[in-house]
Amino acid sequence: MRREIVAAANRLFYQRGYNQTSFSDIAQAAGIPRGNFYYYFKSKDDILGAVIDARIEGIRAMLAAWDAAEPDPRLRLKRFGQVILGSEKDLVRYGCPMGSLNIELGKAQPALKAKAKKMFDLFIDWLTRQLAALGHANAARLAMEVMGRAQGVAVMTQVYGDREFLHAQLAAFDAWVESLPG
Amino acid sequence: MRREIVAAANRLFYQRGYNQTSFSDIAQAAGIPRGNFYYYFKSKDDILGAVIDARIEGIRAMLAAWDAAEPDPRLRLKRFGQVILGSEKDLVRYGCPMGSLNIELGKAQPALKAKAKKMFDLFIDWLTRQLAALGHANAARLAMEVMGRAQGVAVMTQVYGDREFLHAQLAAFDAWVESLPG
């Protein structure tokens, strides 16, 4: 039951935005009467906390799977690019789930945004490790740059719905990864 | 009176987000009774239309001023980078006014988002002209890339509040502009 609520909220927060999703929207989407609902969550902020925890769990598992599958940091970095392609259709419509949530909450909800930022931290740490493994002295800064590029591509893809642009940018990312020394 | 309403709405839409700003919030911020308000605007969507028109007017005037002040497209492009520095404090807190509005509206309000997208179009057209003047065959694609980079830097700046990163990225942009052939 809790799992259904979190899954429904996760989808709605992504597709409509956090503030555009009401408690009732979530109850309805999860098919659970609002009354039962309060047993699991006292507030929408609590649900957001659970949604972010679930997303973080998912990101952690994904990054661990990449690390396990590929010993070469370059191939791991390429997977980072490829994961964007897997969610291309959603990206065009709803933007980056992580970026758009942080941008929304960053404006006027600093406590919630601090939670959402943890998703970024996971990727930045992971990217830093891959780039450091390739011998980059300033891997942390480069990781910020890579993440920034990915976020920029996500924004442009949502604004223009231009999949050709997305594909060209991902091909350029792969070429850049190939060119990395180390 | 209309001008005060639009200015107050512009500020609130940026600082809180469009959907987090109510009709009453705008009336209060503008210091105008809600009743008088309806004389100028029938709905919040109408106010958004006026806010976007005002922003477009501002962007147009800014780009025209750059064109008039600098005959060299490279120096014009540098102004594009510098304008971000001028709004650094707001960027850290509220993100890019243009990007964040498009991301918010893109999720579930396609008609409003189509209006907001026009701000991007203005910059893309202008960037394309500067890059074409420098002799780039695929200036339109490169303009999308430049805009994407800027948006990515804006997202990371809002997420991490890291001004050093912002400054380093802008310095890298200037160096890239210097290196452009043409």
Side-chain angles (χ1 to χ4, degrees):
Chain A
M1 192 93 117
R2 191 181 187 279
R3 185 192 292 266
E4 279 76 21
I5 296 170
V6 173
N10 189 12
R11 211 167 42 244
L12 288 169
F13 292 166
Y14 179 39
Q15 296 180 345
R16 299 186 189 174
Y18 174 69
N19 291 303
Q20 283 295 92
T21 303
S22 71
F23 224 82
S24 307
D25 292 336
I26 301 167
Q28 199 175 4
I32 290 164
R34 260 189 79 138
N36 299 15
F37 212 90
Y38 288 99
Y39 173 76
Y40 298 98
F41 297 102
K42 301 294 171 240
S43 70
K44 207 175 73 172
D45 288 5
D46 285 349
I47 303 178
L48 181 68
V51 164
I52 291 172
D53 286 346
R55 288 191 190 178
I56 282 176
E57 210 40 64
I59 294 167
R60 253 192 239 286
M62 182 178 73
L63 298 176
W66 296 349
D67 285 349
E70 304 286 4
D72 181 352
R74 279 192 200 76
L75 296 178
R76 292 177 183 167
L77 288 170
K78 285 189 178 183
R79 294 220 175 185
F80 172 77
Q82 282 153 12
V83 81
I84 297 179
L85 277 186
S87 54
E88 189 181 338
K89 215 178 136 187
D90 284 341
L91 191 67
V92 167
R93 187 118 177 240
Y94 311 116
C96 171
M98 209 164 90
S100 60
L101 185 64
N102 272 270
I103 289 165
E104 180 184 2
L105 301 176
K107 284 185 182 284
Q109 292 153 296
L112 299 180
K113 189 262 189 173
K115 281 188 192 172
K117 177 178 159 290
K118 287 180 186 159
M119 296 186 283
F120 271 89
D121 294 341
L122 269 181
F123 276 104
I124 292 291
D125 287 352
W126 182 85
L127 285 167
T128 302
R129 267 183 282 122
Q130 309 316 316
L131 294 163
L134 289 168
H136 283 272
N138 208 340
R141 166 59 56 94
L142 191 55
M144 288 279 286
E145 279 182 33
V146 169
M147 198 63 207
R149 298 274 180 100
Q151 286 297 315
V153 171
V155 172
M156 296 307 283
T157 300
Q158 192 193 2
V159 172
Y160 282 100
D162 184 342
R163 294 187 187 204
E164 228 184 282
F165 174 77
L166 174 66
H167 291 195
Q169 291 295 109
L170 289 172
F173 176 72
D174 272 11
W176 176 78
V177 168
E178 290 288 351
S179 79
L180 284 173
Chain B
M1 193 91 118
R2 192 181 187 278
R3 185 192 290 267
E4 279 76 21
I5 297 170
V6 173
N10 188 14
R11 210 167 43 243
L12 289 168
F13 292 166
Y14 179 40
Q15 295 179 345
R16 299 185 188 173
Y18 175 69
N19 291 303
Q20 283 295 91
T21 303
S22 71
F23 224 84
S24 308
D25 292 336
I26 301 167
Q28 199 174 6
I32 290 165
R34 261 189 79 140
N36 299 15
F37 212 89
Y38 288 99
Y39 174 77
Y40 298 98
F41 297 103
K42 301 294 170 239
S43 71
K44 207 175 74 171
D45 289 5
D46 285 347
I47 304 178
L48 180 69
V51 164
I52 291 172
D53 286 345
R55 287 192 191 178
I56 282 177
E57 210 39 64
I59 295 167
R60 252 191 239 289
M62 182 178 72
L63 298 177
W66 295 349
D67 285 350
E70 304 285 3
D72 181 352
R74 279 192 199 77
L75 296 178
R76 293 177 184 168
L77 288 169
K78 286 190 177 181
R79 293 222 174 183
F80 172 76
Q82 282 154 11
V83 81
I84 297 178
L85 277 186
S87 55
E88 187 181 339
K89 215 178 138 189
D90 284 341
L91 191 67
V92 167
R93 186 117 178 241
Y94 311 115
C96 171
M98 210 163 89
S100 60
L101 185 64
N102 272 270
I103 289 165
E104 179 184 3
L105 301 176
K107 284 185 182 284
Q109 292 153 295
L112 300 180
K113 189 260 189 178
K115 280 188 193 174
K117 178 178 158 291
K118 287 180 186 159
M119 296 186 284
F120 271 89
D121 293 341
L122 268 181
F123 276 105
I124 292 290
D125 287 351
W126 182 84
L127 286 167
T128 302
R129 268 185 281 123
Q130 308 316 316
L131 294 163
L134 289 169
H136 283 272
N138 208 341
R141 167 59 56 95
L142 191 55
M144 288 279 287
E145 280 183 33
V146 169
M147 198 64 206
R149 298 275 180 99
Q151 287 297 315
V153 170
V155 173
M156 297 307 283
T157 300
Q158 192 193 2
V159 171
Y160 282 100
D162 183 343
R163 295 187 185 202
E164 227 184 283
F165 174 76
L166 173 66
H167 290 196
Q169 291 296 109
L170 289 172
F173 176 71
D174 272 10
W176 177 78
V177 168
E178 289 288 350
S179 79
L180 284 173

